[in-house]
Amino acid sequence: MTIQWFPGHMAKAKREVTEKLKLIDIVFELVDARIPLSSRNPLIDEIVANKPRIMLLNKADMADPDVTKQWIAFFATQQIEAIAIDAQSGTGMKQIVAAAKERLRPKFEKMEAKGIKRPRAMRALIVGIPNVGKSTLINRLAGKHIAKTGDKPGVTKAQQWIKVGKELELLDTPGILWPKFEDEEVGYKLATTGAIKDTILNLQDVAVYALRFLTAHYPDRLKERYAFSHIPEDIVQLFDEIGKRRGCLASGGVVDYDKVAELVLRDIRTEKLGRLSFDRL
Ligand code: GDP
């Protein structure tokens, strides 16, 4: 679906997340490990404010593992605990529960000290931009398919808790936040990774961005995938060469740039160029 985040929608989304925060002990901020900054909500610090928070770098299976390590180290310097996970296969799920437990230990010890014998389960909310994997993570943590994947606008129901073992409970509806729209480069990164629909930005522009990025950061992968001995510096020539090699031709044998753009983005999103990270330190 296409979400149009007008100021009114943003205010509503923020209000909804703020309401949910009242019910929970800890926030799991879900971001895309390939773009851990670009897939963050620009107002997340303000929105979450004083709740304990753990950042989950999802789709780590698709991200460049060295870069992911660098990001985790960077966030640590910002006093943000970050964990690389893969909600689809389930990698990192135990770590999430353990990290939440550790973070909330002081709070629960205080409750115990006050005579509350068996502290209740930790209550958590998953927040993140669309398509970052919130539903997949809820399903994975729940161990069965409770939350439906994909966003269902206009469907509201009472809040429900999903049990994750004995120690954790999740709100069944995640908090949906918006990405940083105003920044053009962020838009291209969101589009390249498939976080926003291809109809939002011009596909050729997105492919130009992606190819320039790959030329700068992953030249060997680009060479290998499209059989270049050297990568053409001129972007039109690069489109032409990829188009000719991969048969992206229109009638009359001229290269069809839309087809090239589609092919390159599909190759990136299906990991034909390997694990890639687009936000770099
Ligand atoms: P939501 O909009 O945040 O709830 O996102 P979804 O849970 O619907 O996931 C969006 C897409 O990302 C789906 O196609 C998922 O299969 C995929 N996805 C979610 N988590 C992962 C992951 O860790 N790795 C990979 N490779 N794909 C994932």
Side-chain angles (χ1 to χ4, degrees):
M1 81 183 243
T2 309
I3 297 187
Q4 291 180 310
W5 291 107
F6 298 114
H9 291 82
M10 293 198 190
K12 183 164 177 274
K14 185 177 168 184
R15 221 167 31 240
E16 283 174 2
V17 170
T18 306
E19 275 303 304
K20 289 178 185 191
L21 287 177
K22 290 180 189 161
L23 306 170
I24 53 110
D25 302 303
I26 190 162
V27 172
F28 296 137
E29 182 193 358
L30 203 57
V31 298
D32 187 318
R34 295 168 294 175
I35 45 170
L37 288 188
S38 301
S39 58
R40 285 189 101 182
N41 173 276
L43 298 178
I44 188 72
D45 291 338
E46 191 188 305
I47 294 170
V48 173
N50 297 322
K51 285 282 174 191
R53 188 187 349 162
I54 293 172
M55 201 171 176
L56 304 176
L57 276 54
N58 192 37
K59 309 194 188 185
D61 55 305
M62 299 181 83
D64 185 329
D66 292 335
V67 179
T68 299
K69 274 193 203 125
Q70 290 169 18
W71 277 116
I72 289 173
F74 167 80
F75 287 122
T77 68
Q78 309 287 302
Q79 274 74 53
I80 299 173
E81 181 175 7
I83 302 171
I85 66 161
D86 166 3
Q88 205 161 55
S89 78
T91 307
M93 298 304 110
K94 283 207 178 99
Q95 247 181 301
I96 297 175
V97 180
K101 218 173 140 182
E102 193 53 38
R103 177 67 66 82
L104 292 175
R105 191 189 298 278
K107 177 173 177 172
F108 281 80
E109 277 177 359
K110 232 185 247 171
M111 286 166 79
E112 274 182 326
K114 280 185 188 158
I116 302 167
K117 284 243 160 50
R118 254 182 86 248
R120 59 174 171 75
M122 304 177 281
R123 288 188 173 159
L125 171 69
I126 291 170
V127 301
I129 66 169
N131 289 318
V132 74
K134 296 179 296 299
S135 305
T136 307
L137 178 60
I138 291 172
N139 286 331
R140 177 57 64 181
L141 284 171
K144 47 190 151 110
H145 292 270
I146 295 172
K148 286 202 171 73
T149 46
D151 304 305
K152 296 275 184 296
V155 178
T156 51
K157 55 180 173 141
Q159 303 288 357
Q160 283 182 357
W161 297 97
I162 294 169
K163 283 193 188 308
V164 184
K166 283 194 179 124
E167 294 174 303
L168 182 69
E169 286 176 8
L170 276 182
L171 257 188
D172 69 337
T173 49
I176 302 171
L177 295 170
W178 61 96
K180 287 175 243 179
F181 281 118
E182 59 278 14
D183 184 317
E184 190 179 59
E185 193 174 346
V186 168
Y188 286 139
K189 289 179 182 186
L190 289 166
T192 301
T193 54
I196 56 175
K197 284 246 177 195
D198 283 340
T199 46
I200 293 179
L201 294 175
N202 179 290
L203 206 65
Q204 286 186 27
D205 288 347
V206 177
V208 166
Y209 169 81
L211 284 170
R212 289 208 168 114
F213 184 91
L214 293 172
T215 303
H217 295 278
Y218 297 101
D220 293 342
R221 310 257 192 105
L222 203 54
K223 283 183 193 162
E224 195 188 327
R225 179 71 189 161
Y226 303 113
F228 288 130
S229 52
H230 77 277
I231 302 165
E233 265 174 46
D234 180 73
I235 193 73
V236 177
Q237 210 185 335
L238 183 52
F239 264 69
D240 277 333
E241 287 301 322
I242 293 174
K244 277 186 225 153
R245 280 151 210 249
R246 303 300 297 273
C248 303
L249 304 175
S251 57
V254 293
V255 171
D256 182 331
Y257 294 136
D258 276 337
K259 277 189 189 159
V260 176
E262 268 169 40
L263 174 109
V264 167
L265 292 172
R266 192 169 56 240
D267 279 357
I268 289 170
R269 293 171 192 163
T270 54
E271 292 180 86
K272 296 292 189 305
L273 288 121
R275 297 167 71 174
L276 304 170
S277 290
F278 293 90
D279 276 345
R280 313 293 287 240
L281 280 143

